[in-house]
Amino acid sequence: MIYLAVVKRYEPLLLVGIGFSCIISNVPGSDLTQPGGLFHYAYQGVQLLIVPPLIFFGVGAMTDFAPMIAQSEARHSRRGGASGIFVALIGAKLLGFTLNEAGAIAYIGGPRADGDLHGGQLAPTSCRKSRVAALFLYGVMPLIQPPVMNLLTTPAERVIRMKQSRKVTRLEKIAFPV
């Protein structure tokens, strides 16, 4: 994962942290919960849900919302992403998962990057593997998207360059996330 992040530049903000965590947690004899060490406090920050919101706040702060603000018709695609949560919830429930497990599955597939955190609160013991799979999927998305986009679009559609319809003010950029 670190190789993909550093050399291939695939989602470095996500994959470097995941890869580093994988290495540290697999060091023989390492006990991340042992009091007093750096990893103990980092682990406590994650367990108490202090660190993950700070990470996602930082990633959100780096996001440029100007195209979305300028093109209000893009709200339809956001509705589609949000409706996927309900489709996943109903589908998981129909497959026999408990309501909490179905909620965790739906959260993981949602349009927000913190779904794996909330999903873990709903079903902490039964959805660990799906949470790891979801985080991995977030990281390898740049590998998966190009072939899918090539399959679903024509060459003429792929060369279209979208232009921003209007200039978005600094106040709008600050106010929108708030």
Side-chain angles (χ1 to χ4, degrees):
M1 290 186 197
I2 292 174
Y3 170 80
L4 289 174
V6 174
V7 177
K8 299 290 186 175
R9 297 201 177 275
Y10 293 138
E11 300 290 335
L13 291 173
L14 183 65
L15 288 182
V16 167
I18 294 172
F20 183 71
S21 298
C22 289
I23 291 169
I24 294 300
S25 63
N26 286 300
V27 171
S30 68
D31 184 8
L32 297 181
T33 59
Q34 192 173 36
L38 172 66
F39 293 113
H40 167 73
Y41 293 112
Y43 181 77
Q44 290 301 312
V46 171
Q47 284 296 102
L48 298 172
L49 293 178
I50 297 168
V51 172
L54 290 175
I55 291 170
F56 292 120
F57 178 75
V59 171
M62 294 185 313
T63 303
D64 182 12
F65 292 107
M68 189 170 59
I69 296 168
Q71 297 174 326
S72 61
E73 60 273 4
R75 67 181 174 272
H76 300 300
S77 64
R78 293 189 301 275
R79 286 186 188 138
S83 65
I85 294 174
F86 298 106
V87 170
L89 175 76
I90 293 166
K93 190 66 182 133
L94 291 174
L95 288 172
F97 289 95
T98 68
L99 187 58
N100 278 0
E101 291 169 337
I105 291 167
Y107 245 126
I108 288 169
R112 295 181 48 193
D114 60 348
D116 57 299
L117 301 172
H118 297 296
Q121 290 176 339
L122 288 173
T125 56
S126 60
C127 289
R128 285 186 181 141
K129 291 178 184 174
S130 59
R131 290 169 65 199
V132 171
L135 285 171
F136 180 74
L137 181 62
Y138 295 150
V140 298
M141 192 57 71
L143 295 172
I144 298 168
Q145 276 181 335
V148 172
M149 291 186 309
N150 288 337
L151 181 69
L152 299 176
T153 59
T154 66
E157 290 171 327
R158 290 193 291 271
V159 296
I160 296 173
R161 296 291 173 237
M162 303 297 288
K163 292 184 179 152
Q164 195 161 314
S165 60
R166 68 176 179 89
K167 178 92 168 117
V168 177
T169 67
R170 182 180 171 101
L171 178 62
E172 286 178 300
K173 288 181 182 180
I174 294 170
F176 179 79
V178 174

